[in-house]
Amino acid sequence: MSSKSKVIFLGAGDIWFCTGSRTLFRQFLKELDLHFNLECLFFQFRMEGMPDADENGMIDVPDFPAKVFTPVSNQAFGLLPRKIFRIVERIVLWVYLNRWMRTIKPDDALILHGNLGLIHTLFHKIPTKKKWWFKVGIIEEEEDSGIKYRLRKALELLNATRLGKRLIVSRPMGEFLNHEYGVSDAGDFIMPCLVDLDFFSWTEEKRKTARERLGVGDRFVLLYLGSAEPQQSPAETVEFFKRLKKHRPDAFFWIASGDQEYFKTLAEGIAPEDIRIEKLPYEKLPELLPAADLGCLMRQRGIVNRVSSPVKFPEYMANGIPVIIGPESGEYTNVVQTNKVGAVADPDDAETWDDSIKTFFDLYNTDDTNSTDLRKRCFETAARLSWQHYRPSIKKEFS
């Protein structure tokens, strides 16, 4: 039997469709498994297009280290009215949790994440005092008014005051939670969305090979990586590329996204030889991304982006890619300016873009080695935002 202490991760959310969540939790669980006797229970609420579960309600999720529990079948999802289905789903989940709670020991460490409001009806059955509430995003990203919003905020108040220490992705997230729910007596542990340097790792040789594979020659490559969520300013980024072309006529726009059709519509008017839109398997990214010269992180002002920790930032950095970033992208806007690894551009103020582009090229053209120094600074920034760097802190925190 293992002498490692036991850590239990209990979460709920979208692991099947959301690549960002899957990447974050996959790496977090791998780190915990290095140091502890890990038990993971993750609940994926049923969504359109998901596979059938096995006889135990479990599904295998690609590239995820644990099976995921889906409380109710695809058949019920198709037959029942959606509101009734969601009630049934949560009743089944409550029964499952009630049974599972009996396995928790007083010395176990418990990390809770996601929409688990029913946990509070069973709160008295949790014997351990070693608890963390893992808070990644905020409700306001989806809605900020109405009965459902108020109910979710009430449940979150319980989470914030009863589920122990707050495990958060940024200092602004902690400030937001303190304002909304009060200061946590247990304190905060800040763990940004981090990058795995065993997966992404820049070198000049990798960059040369990647550019040969991309077939861009000596052109300047602007990369947009990720989905077309509105808060990521996809339309504004397309317009930014058009402005960039005036400064760099050789600029090439590379869009790696699952939302290909949407981007094809946005990009009408850009010459075919100046753009490439494709969906890339995640496992292929390390051998291709170093080809880019500049990455897009033009996030809008507002509370959602202000408290965020976009994983794309350390991923860009690890591949030696400086960024054009929004004015309120978590703590990373300040990191970009301090470390000189890109420039700030406000997606809502196109009049400032020329100055942003000039600021970037002042960095890009400062040495005679094709900006190798800039890419080195990017990689050094990534090293401080890596799972490898945070490993000792994670081990200490949950021991």
Side-chain angles (χ1 to χ4, degrees), residues 370-389:
N370 197 24
S371 303
T372 299
D373 289 345
L374 174 57
R375 288 192 286 276
K376 284 181 179 178
R377 288 200 301 275
C378 291
F379 189 73
E380 290 166 358
T381 300
R384 294 188 290 271
L385 292 168
S386 68
W387 291 103
Q388 287 78 4
H389 179 77

Side-chain angles (χ1 to χ4, degrees), residues 277-294:
I277 303 173
E278 60 185 326
K279 181 179 180 180
L280 295 174
Y282 191 74
E283 64 272 12
K284 292 288 186 181
L285 297 183
E287 62 190 58
L288 295 172
L289 293 193
D293 293 289
L294 179 63

Side-chain angles (χ1 to χ4, degrees), residues 12 27 31 40 48 54 82 100 121 142 149 167 197 209 227 231 292 393 395 398:
Q27 293 301 134
E31 288 300 317
C40 174
E48 192 80 37
D54 64 20
R82 195 64 70 239
W100 170 79
T121 66
E142 301 173 19
Y149 169 76
L167 173 55
L197 293 185
T209 302
S227 68
Q231 67 267 22
S393 299
K395 180 180 180 181
F398 299 106

Side-chain angles (χ1 to χ4, degrees), residues 310-336:
V311 70
K312 291 295 178 291
F313 179 74
E315 288 180 348
Y316 279 139
M317 293 290 109
N319 286 283
I321 307 171
V323 298
I324 197 80
I325 196 168
E328 291 185 342
S329 295
E331 297 180 82
Y332 293 149
T333 301
N334 186 55
V335 171
V336 166

Side-chain angles (χ1 to χ4, degrees), residues 72-84:
V72 188
S73 68
N74 260 339
Q75 184 178 13
F77 183 78
L79 291 175
L80 294 174
R82 195 64 70 239
K83 290 183 179 179
I84 294 176

Side-chain angles (χ1 to χ4, degrees), residues 45-60:
F45 293 109
R46 179 64 62 181
M47 297 172 67
E48 192 80 37
M50 284 179 55
D52 287 318
D54 64 20
E55 64 275 10
N56 297 314
M58 299 290 183
I59 59 172
D60 285 313

Side-chain angles (χ1 to χ4, degrees), residues 114-233:
N115 186 10
L116 292 167
L118 290 173
I119 203 78
H120 295 286
T121 66
L122 305 169
F123 192 77
H124 62 286
K125 295 189 176 184
I126 302 178
T128 179
K129 293 183 179 179
K130 297 165 64 177
K131 296 188 293 293
W132 287 259
W133 176 41
F134 194 177
K135 181 65 170 165
V136 178
I138 60 175
I139 296 169
E140 286 74 7
E141 184 173 350
E142 301 173 19
E143 54 194 347
D144 58 7
S145 62
I147 295 175
K148 182 181 177 182
Y149 169 76
R150 291 195 293 273
L151 176 60
R152 291 179 71 186
K153 292 292 281 187
L155 288 173
E156 193 159 89
L157 174 61
L158 293 176
N159 292 345
T161 55
R162 301 181 73 186
L163 295 187
K165 198 168 186 178
R166 297 172 185 171
L167 173 55
I168 54 178
V169 296
S170 71
R171 188 169 286 102
M173 171 72 83
E175 294 169 353
F176 173 78
L177 294 178
N178 290 342
H179 176 268
E180 295 291 296
Y181 308 119
V183 178
S184 169
D185 293 335
D188 297 333
F189 176 60
I190 300 175
M191 187 188 74
C193 294
L194 304 169
V195 65
D196 180 8
L197 293 185
D198 292 332
F199 186 69
F200 290 118
S201 182
W202 165 83
T203 65
E204 275 297 318
E205 186 60 33
K206 287 183 178 180
R207 171 177 164 79
K208 179 181 177 182
T209 302
R211 290 182 70 84
E212 289 173 354
R213 288 175 175 167
L214 192 62
V216 291
D218 294 328
R219 299 187 68 175
F220 183 88
V221 178
L222 176 69
L223 170 63
Y224 182 104
L225 176 64
S227 68
E229 294 292 330
Q231 67 267 22
Q232 298 185 30
S233 307

